[in-house]
Amino acid sequence: MKEKVRFIGLDVHAETIAVAIAEPDGEVRSLGTIPNRSESLRKLVRKLGPAEKLRACYEAGPTGYVVYWQLTELGVPCEVVAPTLVPVKAGDRVKTDRRDAEKLARCYRSGDLTAVWVPDEGSEALRDLVRAREAAKQDQMRARHRLSKFLLRSGQRPPTGVRPWTRPYLIWIAQLRFTQIAQESTRQDYLHEVEHMRERVARLEQAITEAVKLASPALQQVINDLQALRGIADISAVTIAAELGQVSCFHSARQLMGYCGAVPSEDSSGKRTRRGGITKTGNAHLRRIVVEAAWSYRRPPCIWYGLRRRQESISEEAKEIAWKAQHRLHKRYMRLGAAGKDQRKIAVAIAHELLGFIWAIGARAETIVRHRVAA
C-alpha cells in the first residue's frame, strides 16, 4: 500500500551518494553519505527493506544509469528524474548534498518530479558509440582547420578547380614541400592527423553499422523508416534513434519537440505575451542532427537516386509521410525566407516541424514491430 512505501532520494556523485528518506508519516531525514559502490547500495537496501516497500530516485547526470540498474537488480523500483524540472524555492540559496537528497525524497513522495526514459544497456551502448563518432567528427574538423589555416599562412593555394578535402586536394598537400625544416615537419604532422581522423571516423561508422545489426527489431525498424526523410541518411537515422531510445514514450510530437529544446521560450504575464528564442534545454545531440537535416529542405521536393535507394526497403506509409514533409517544409522554408527571416532561424523553425514527422514515422514503426511480435 502507498502509505507504507518509503521514498528514497539519492544525490549521486562519482564517489559518494548522499541518501535521504521520506517516511510514510511525513518525516524526511538524512541517512548520511555512502560510497558509490554496488555493495554499499546492497547494504542500504538490506537496512531499509524490504525492497518492494522502497521507491528510489536520483537526478540524471554524468554518472549515467548504473545506480538505476543496480537498484533494479536488487528489486527496488527506481526512477531517474530530469534535474531541470526539480522544483526550486525562490530565495533558497543553500545547496548541499544532504539538502539535495532530502528535497528529492520529499518531492518524489509528493509526485512533483518528472522521470526520464532510461535505456537498457544495449541502447545505452549504441548511444555511447554514436556520441564517440560525433566527437571524432568534431576532432576531424579541428584537424582540417589547423592544416588549412597553416597552408593559408604559408601562402599555399590549391590548383584551380580542386575542392577542399577531396582526394586530389589531399594528393596536392602530400606533394608540397617547404624549404624550412620546421614548416615541413608541421605539414607532415597536420596531414598525418587529418588522415588519422579520417580513419578513426570510418572505423567508428563501421562499428555503428555492425552494432545496428545487433539492435532490437523495434530500433532497427525506426532506423530504417527514418531514412525515408530528406536529410536523414544511415548515420543520422542511427543518431536520432539512439538519442530518442523509444519514440513511443513521447505521447505527442509536441512532447518530442520539448525534449529536443526546439520550442520557443516564453515570458508572458497578464495581457503581455513575449516569446524568445528556443529553450535549448533538451537533448543537444538530437537538436544538432535535426537542425542539420532541416537545411536540406530549402531545395524543391524531389526523389533523387540516393533517396530512392534508401526508400527501397521502406513501407509506403513512411514514404508518404516523408513526401508530405518535403512539400510542407519546403513551402514553409520559402515563406519564411520571403519574409526576410534569418537563415539560421529558418533552419531551426524547420527542424521544429521536422521533429513532428520524425515522431510520426518512429511511433508508427514501433507500433508495427509490437503488432508483429504479438501476432
Side-chain angles (χ1 to χ4, degrees):
M1 295 178 64
K2 183 176 180 180
E3 60 271 10
K4 295 183 180 180
V5 171
R6 310 174 82 186
F7 296 88
I8 304 173
L10 305 174
D11 189 40
V12 181
H13 298 275
E15 297 297 331
T16 61
I17 301 176
V19 184
I21 188 168
E23 299 287 357
D25 59 3
E27 180 187 5
V28 179
R29 69 181 191 277
S30 172
L31 298 180
T33 302
I34 64 173
N36 189 352
R37 298 291 186 271
S38 58
E39 56 270 18
S40 299
L41 287 173
R42 188 176 296 107
K43 291 179 181 178
L44 178 68
V45 172
R46 191 182 308 120
K47 175 183 177 182
L48 300 177
E52 59 271 12
K53 298 297 182 181
L54 301 177
R55 300 292 184 272
C57 74
Y58 68 96
E59 294 180 341
T63 55
Y65 305 106
V66 177
V67 173
Y68 171 89
W69 293 327
Q70 291 173 346
L71 288 173
T72 302
E73 186 177 352
L74 294 171
V76 179
C78 180
E79 288 187 342
V80 183
V81 302
T84 56
L85 299 180
V86 176
V88 179
K89 293 181 180 179
D92 187 358
R93 294 294 184 268
V94 179
K95 184 183 185 301
T96 64
D97 294 347
R98 177 184 62 80
R99 290 170 66 95
D100 287 346
E102 291 175 354
K103 180 171 66 174
L104 284 173
R106 186 180 297 107
C107 293
Y108 191 31
R109 183 182 59 187
S110 60
D112 293 334
L113 300 179
T114 302
V116 301
W117 178 77
V118 178
D120 56 30
E121 294 187 11
S123 299
E124 180 71 0
L126 179 59
R127 185 161 64 178
D128 287 339
L129 181 58
V130 167
R131 291 184 179 181
R133 186 257 178 191
E134 182 181 343
K137 288 293 290 183
Q138 294 172 352
D139 293 341
Q140 181 186 45
M141 181 180 64
R142 295 188 186 100
R144 288 179 171 181
H145 280 177
R146 293 188 190 104
L147 178 55
S148 63
K149 299 307 179 287
F150 165 71
L151 296 175
L152 180 64
R153 290 194 307 272
S154 58
Q156 301 294 334
R157 299 292 184 275
T160 305
V162 176
R163 295 190 303 169
W165 309 119
T166 58
R167 184 173 179 79
Y169 182 81
L170 294 174
I171 292 175
W172 167 73
I173 297 176
Q175 293 174 346
L176 286 176
R177 294 296 181 272
F178 291 91
T179 56
Q180 296 291 327
I181 296 178
Q183 281 187 315
E184 179 63 18
S185 299
T186 302
R187 180 195 67 84
Q188 292 177 0
D189 184 77
Y190 281 166
L191 181 59
H192 176 269
E193 187 64 17
V194 168
E195 290 295 327
H196 172 66
M197 287 298 106
R198 181 187 61 79
E199 294 172 359
R200 178 186 172 194
V201 170
R203 185 170 61 250
L204 287 170
E205 289 181 350
Q206 180 61 33
I208 289 174
T209 301
E210 296 300 323
V212 169
K213 296 177 182 178
L214 303 176
S216 64
L219 188 61
Q220 291 183 5
Q221 187 70 41
V222 171
I223 293 171
N224 182 67
D225 286 3
L226 285 179
Q227 296 182 57
L229 289 165
R230 184 173 199 162
I232 299 179
D234 48 359
I235 298 298
S236 298
V238 175
T239 302
I240 293 172
E243 293 297 337
L244 289 178
Q246 186 177 355
V247 182
S248 57
C249 70
F250 302 97
H251 301 297
S252 66
R254 189 178 297 275
Q255 282 189 352
L256 175 55
M257 295 169 186
Y259 172 76
C260 188
V263 294
S265 57
E266 184 172 352
D267 182 13
S268 301
S269 179
K271 296 181 178 180
R272 184 199 70 190
T273 300
R274 181 184 298 167
R275 292 187 176 88
I278 60 173
T279 61
K280 293 186 180 180
T281 56
N283 190 310
H285 303 277
L286 176 62
R287 185 169 60 251
R288 179 194 61 81
I289 203 73
V290 174
V291 171
E292 284 184 3
W295 284 99
S296 64
Y297 289 91
R298 65 184 183 275
R299 301 188 182 93
C302 67
I303 304 293
W304 62 96
Y305 176 71
L307 182 57
R308 186 179 297 109
R309 284 193 60 187
R310 296 206 306 264
Q311 291 185 350
E312 287 177 355
S313 61
I314 296 174
S315 64
E316 292 299 324
E317 291 81 359
K319 288 191 284 188
E320 183 179 348
I321 294 174
W323 185 240
K324 180 181 177 181
Q326 284 208 46
H327 282 276
R328 176 181 175 86
L329 298 183
H330 174 70
K331 183 178 179 180
R332 181 165 173 76
Y333 199 109
M334 292 297 101
R335 185 165 61 248
L336 292 173
K341 300 295 183 181
D342 182 86
Q343 290 293 313
R344 292 167 297 182
K345 293 183 178 180
I346 294 176
V348 173
I350 298 302
H352 174 84
E353 292 202 22
L354 178 58
L355 284 165
F357 291 100
I358 290 174
W359 177 82
I361 291 178
R364 179 191 167 278
E366 291 180 351
T367 301
I368 290 176
V369 173
R370 281 199 299 269
H371 290 168
R372 189 184 304 159
V373 172

